[in-house]
Amino acid sequence: MLLWVLLSVCCLVAAQQRSSSYSGEYGGGGGKRFSHSGNQLNGPLTAIRIRVNRNYIVGLQARYGTAWSDYKGGSLGDLEEVFLHPGEHIIQVSGKYSVYMRQLVFVTNKGRYFRFGKDYGTSFNAAPLFPNTVLRFFSGSSGSVIDAIGFHWDYSSSGCTHCNK
């Protein structure tokens, strides 16, 4: 009987559909660690602020629902801001890095793309492992620039009933 219960539980766990995945970490090993994992509870990713200078991605901030995350990175460079349309989600991120992040290119499900930084360094391409999943939040490390970045993918929280509005 115990064996049957254990087999049933194992089969149930194996049958559950997976949805979350992680891409990264891209960049160098310096800086202080950060994660926006708690910010995703405010809702889906709705806007991004990127600070760039002539060589690097200097800083990053994201809006989840209507709440902005803490800013990560340095203060020098030009600040650029992008707002996603309702129902629009990031489905791919590519870019370049050397010791620090040099370029980020975001692609959305509505066919828009946003390019920040310089086209120089080692290339990467980040995308979710599972169909119909989107960028949910960022993690990485930063100091005076963004040293490294990772991307966390899952289903959109647009229909989330427990998220803060």
Side-chain angles (χ1 to χ4, degrees):
M1 177 69 169
L2 181 59
L3 180 61
W4 185 83
V5 170
L6 287 174
L7 285 173
S8 297
V9 169
C10 288
C11 289
L12 179 62
V13 169
Q16 290 178 343
Q17 185 176 9
R18 293 183 178 209
S19 61
S20 65
S21 61
Y22 172 73
S23 302
E25 178 166 281
Y26 306 103
K32 184 178 177 183
R33 307 286 310 150
F34 71 86
S35 174
H36 290 176
S37 63
N39 298 93
Q40 69 176 323
L41 298 177
N42 292 321
L45 188 64
T46 56
I48 300 171
R49 289 179 179 148
I50 302 281
R51 186 175 298 277
V52 297
N53 67 18
R54 60 185 212 151
N55 294 311
Y56 303 110
I57 303 294
V58 175
L60 168 72
Q61 187 176 27
R63 190 176 78 169
Y64 299 88
T66 59
W68 286 97
S69 69
D70 290 339
Y71 177 82
K72 301 299 178 186
S75 58
L76 300 177
D78 298 323
L79 185 64
E80 301 180 37
E81 187 173 71
V82 171
F83 288 87
L84 299 178
H85 298 152
E88 187 173 29
H89 303 284
I90 295 170
I91 58 169
Q92 179 183 2
V93 184
S94 60
K96 305 266 181 145
Y97 65 92
S98 54
V99 176
Y100 308 114
M101 292 307 306
R102 292 187 173 268
Q103 182 182 59
L104 291 170
V105 180
F106 298 93
V107 179
T108 75
N109 62 324
K110 302 291 186 183
R112 296 198 302 161
Y113 71 95
F114 310 105
R115 182 180 310 269
F116 304 96
K118 301 296 180 204
D119 188 9
Y120 175 80
T122 303
S123 298
F124 71 87
N125 186 42
L129 291 178
F130 302 105
N132 304 315
T133 57
V134 300
L135 181 62
R136 289 297 304 274
F137 68 94
F138 299 95
S139 64
S141 59
S142 66
S144 59
V145 297
I146 299 297
D147 293 84
I149 196 164
F151 308 98
H152 301 260
W153 311 92
D154 206 338
Y155 290 116
S156 167
S157 65
S158 296
C160 182
T161 58
H162 68 280
C163 299
N164 298 330
K165 300 295 178 204

